């Protein structure tokens, strides 16, 4: 009897660890993007967020403005990292929206 209790208690504790309070994050889908006047966004095959300016393309020195517009497009925050980079008039945020 005691051995059965000793086996069941750890199993129940481990089973409780397997559930996520917010559900399965993979089932929630992609973060919706917000339209921002004067800017365009897209997502490439790897899931990176691409941000462009419609009037004049971004320059390589305009990462701060690109980051602010990406934050607005994501409806909060972009998942910025050291891998963010400039490519052909667009700023690329590899981790997408946060």
């Amino acid at each position: 009897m005691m051995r059965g209790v000793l086996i069941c208690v750890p199993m129940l504790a481990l089973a409780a660890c397997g559930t996520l309070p917010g559900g399965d994050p993979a089932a929630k889908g992609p973060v919706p993007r917000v339209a921002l006047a004067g800017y365009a966004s897209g997502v490439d095959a790897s899931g990176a967020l691409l941000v462009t300016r419609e009037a004049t393309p971004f320059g390589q020195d305009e990462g701060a403005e690109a980051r602010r517009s990406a934050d607005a497009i994501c409806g909060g925050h972009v998942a910025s990292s050291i891998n963010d980079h400039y490519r052909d008039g667009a700023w690329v945020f590899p981790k997408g929206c946060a």
Side-chain angles (χ1 to χ4, degrees):
M1 173 79 169
M2 189 64 163
R3 186 169 38 181
V5 171
L6 290 175
I7 292 174
C8 290
V9 171
M11 286 176 41
L12 291 173
L14 288 174
C17 291
T19 60
L20 297 173
D24 183 12
K28 291 182 181 179
V31 176
R33 293 186 314 253
V34 177
L36 183 63
Y39 298 91
S41 67
V43 177
D44 68 6
S46 68
L49 176 68
L50 306 167
V51 178
T52 58
R53 189 169 45 199
E54 293 174 353
T56 306
F58 280 121
Q60 188 170 3
D61 61 338
E62 296 179 297
E65 182 184 348
R67 165 73 192 275
R68 286 190 294 271
S69 61
D71 283 341
I73 289 168
C74 287
H77 293 288
V78 66
S80 186
S81 72
I82 61 170
N83 297 321
D84 301 345
H85 61 277
Y86 173 79
R87 181 177 67 209
D88 300 327
W91 272 89
V92 181
F93 299 93
K95 294 186 176 185
C97 293

